[in-house]
Amino acid sequence: MPTVLELLGEGAPAEPAVDDTMGDTSGGLRRGLRSAGAGFNRIAGTAAEAAGFNDFAARRIAAAQAADAENAADPAKVSSYKDVISAPDLGTGLRRAVDYGTNMIGESLPALGAMAVGGLVGGTRGAALAMTPCSMGDVASRQQADPQAMQDSAGMRLGKQAIYGGADAVLNTIVPASVASRMFGKAATAAAQLPVSNILGRVGVDAVAQGAAGAAGEAVKQVGVNPTKTLDMGQIAEVGVGGTALGAAMGGVGAAGTLARKAAGAPGRGVGAAVDAVGASAPVRA
């Protein structure tokens, strides 16, 4: 016969909690912060190894791997655009699109924050410089996952992190900003000459430029880590689509930066420069 506890439903294993909330910004931010920390640890570990401080290097790499394990245990709700387009119905597709987009934004916030500071100080060049450590960390992570890449000396790996990480940062900041500037010219920097059609045009150009730049940056990093490997076109497409979506959002931010410069005079120009640098540059994690 059933016990009293069983009749009351007590003592039975709890049902797993179902996350019914829409969006994944906070989860993306958690993963982005862990990934950024892991990247810095990998760069520091590579530099320490090159300098002969092997114990310190081992501790930094262990810390990076621990962060990777935490991210693996805390996955994104939707991590691929393929999950969005394969949704069984419109409602599910919209929900997945929101989860996908907000996760990308959350994961990008650490880099976007650094770029905002860099953009405030040095425009798009400052934003590129600020993004470089994030891109270097991504290259370092790929190196450590590739046995052939790990055959290089620590000094060589560190140099490649700087070269290919720097190239990725430039592709994701200066190049999209240059494309937008050439498309719209000086008139696009005056809010008085920024009708709705120009705002929409800027968003479209930023989206396309960022998607192409992100895909190019992904290809550069793949080749830089191991030039003998065949390019992973699926991953390049993933980054390109993500960059296009995030670039559209950042294009809107860039338009807001333009308006801020016009509306607030000199103080607005400083804030607008930082926002505009980020608005033209939407880094996407591979």
Side-chain angles (χ1 to χ4, degrees):
M1 293 182 64
T3 65
V4 174
L5 287 177
E6 289 172 336
L7 290 173
L8 294 175
E10 298 179 16
E15 291 293 326
V18 177
D19 187 356
D20 287 329
T21 59
M22 182 175 285
D24 199 13
T25 307
S26 60
L29 178 58
R30 287 195 307 272
R31 289 181 287 274
L33 288 170
R34 291 190 198 111
S35 295
F40 283 118
N41 274 319
R42 285 191 166 94
I43 297 168
T46 307
E49 182 185 350
F53 299 104
N54 293 330
D55 289 343
F56 178 82
R59 290 195 298 271
R60 293 304 91 216
I61 299 305
Q65 291 171 338
D68 291 343
E70 288 185 52
N71 272 354
D74 179 29
K77 293 180 181 180
V78 178
S79 59
S80 172
Y81 74 92
K82 295 176 183 177
D83 295 325
V84 177
I85 62 178
S86 65
D89 54 67
L90 179 61
T92 302
L94 290 175
R95 186 185 186 91
R96 289 182 182 178
V98 170
D99 289 341
Y100 174 66
T102 52
N103 170 66
M104 283 196 305
I105 292 171
E107 287 193 357
S108 298
L109 281 175
L112 289 174
M115 287 164 57
V117 175
L120 184 61
V121 175
T124 52
R125 290 187 178 87
L129 184 62
M131 183 185 168
T132 297
C134 300
S135 295
M136 287 178 63
D138 187 28
V139 173
S141 176
R142 295 162 187 254
Q143 287 174 335
Q144 289 176 3
D146 189 302
Q148 182 168 329
M150 291 302 291
Q151 292 178 8
D152 289 337
S153 68
M156 178 67 74
R157 296 199 309 274
L158 185 63
K160 288 183 176 180
Q161 290 167 21
I163 292 170
Y164 296 107
D168 178 59
V170 168
L171 281 168
N172 279 280
T173 52
I174 295 175
V175 170
S178 176
V179 169
S181 176
R182 289 177 182 277
M183 287 292 294
F184 291 101
K186 293 182 179 180
T189 65
Q193 301 178 38
L194 197 68
V196 172
S197 60
N198 275 13
I199 293 175
L200 294 177
R202 168 165 183 164
V203 169
V205 169
D206 280 351
V208 173
Q210 193 61 55
E218 171 65 20
V220 165
K221 288 185 287 188
Q222 288 187 23
V223 172
V225 169
N226 189 340
T228 65
K229 269 189 174 180
T230 303
L231 286 176
D232 184 346
M233 299 307 297
Q235 183 59 27
I236 291 173
E238 191 75 56
V239 174
V241 171
T244 299
L246 195 54
M250 292 301 100
V253 173
T258 299
L259 294 173
R261 284 197 299 272
K262 181 69 176 179
R269 284 193 293 271
V271 175
V275 175
D276 205 28
V278 175
S281 316
V284 179
R285 288 197 51 76

